[in-house]
Amino acid sequence: MSVRESPARSWAPRPRGTAPVRDFTPASPARYAWFEDEPQLAVLATHFSGRADWLRAGQALERAWLTATARGLEVSPLTHPLETADAWLVRDPRSSVEYPQMILRFGYGLPVPRTPRRPIPNILDTPT
């Protein structure tokens, strides 16, 4: 199979040097559930890109996610745009140096049932 025929290229073709954009247009009309009309995006970035910065970014991500959840918001991480050479395009244009670590989508979604959990004794050994 040549590079042009690879399955990865067939769903996300793009001109060289541009960020990948996937076409989500359905081939036929589909029924969709209600979805947030105006989601908000946030970019979590650091001033440097070392191990300590990654740790602090993870801590900030945890705090932002938990705060949003406590306030009834849904959060979706978006990392694909950050895995390209064009990742610098998502940084704050007022900043001279910034390293984007995560893009977060905040919005309201439909209520869903809780994920089922196994009983604790089934997954942890307790001292007898």
Side-chain angles (χ1 to χ4, degrees):
M1 184 180 272
S2 73
V3 173
R4 287 192 177 272
E5 299 169 348
S6 72
R9 293 226 182 248
S10 66
W11 69 265
R14 64 177 194 220
R16 185 178 280 267
T18 61
V21 178
R22 188 170 172 190
D23 182 7
F24 288 101
T25 308
S28 61
R31 294 186 183 141
Y32 292 99
W34 173 85
F35 196 71
E36 178 71 32
D37 291 329
E38 296 182 24
Q40 299 297 308
L41 298 178
V43 177
L44 189 138
T46 57
H47 288 292
F48 302 99
S49 189
R51 288 181 177 171
D53 304 292
W54 301 337
L55 176 63
R56 283 190 283 279
Q59 291 170 330
L61 172 63
E62 175 187 26
R63 176 170 275 187
W65 205 315
L66 289 173
T67 301
T69 301
R71 294 182 180 176
L73 288 165
E74 303 294 329
V75 182
S76 297
L78 307 169
T79 58
H80 189 76
L82 300 178
E83 297 170 6
T84 69
D86 296 327
W88 65 273
L89 293 170
V90 302
R91 69 177 180 79
D92 185 348
R94 298 170 293 181
S95 172
S96 59
V97 177
E98 200 172 74
Y99 295 89
Q101 303 293 337
M102 177 71 69
I103 301 171
L104 297 171
R105 179 195 178 279
F106 294 94
Y108 295 96
L110 294 172
V112 295
R114 293 180 62 100
T115 304
R117 304 285 184 212
R118 295 188 325 199
I120 291 177
N122 289 0
I123 57 173
L124 293 178
D125 290 331
T126 56
T128 55

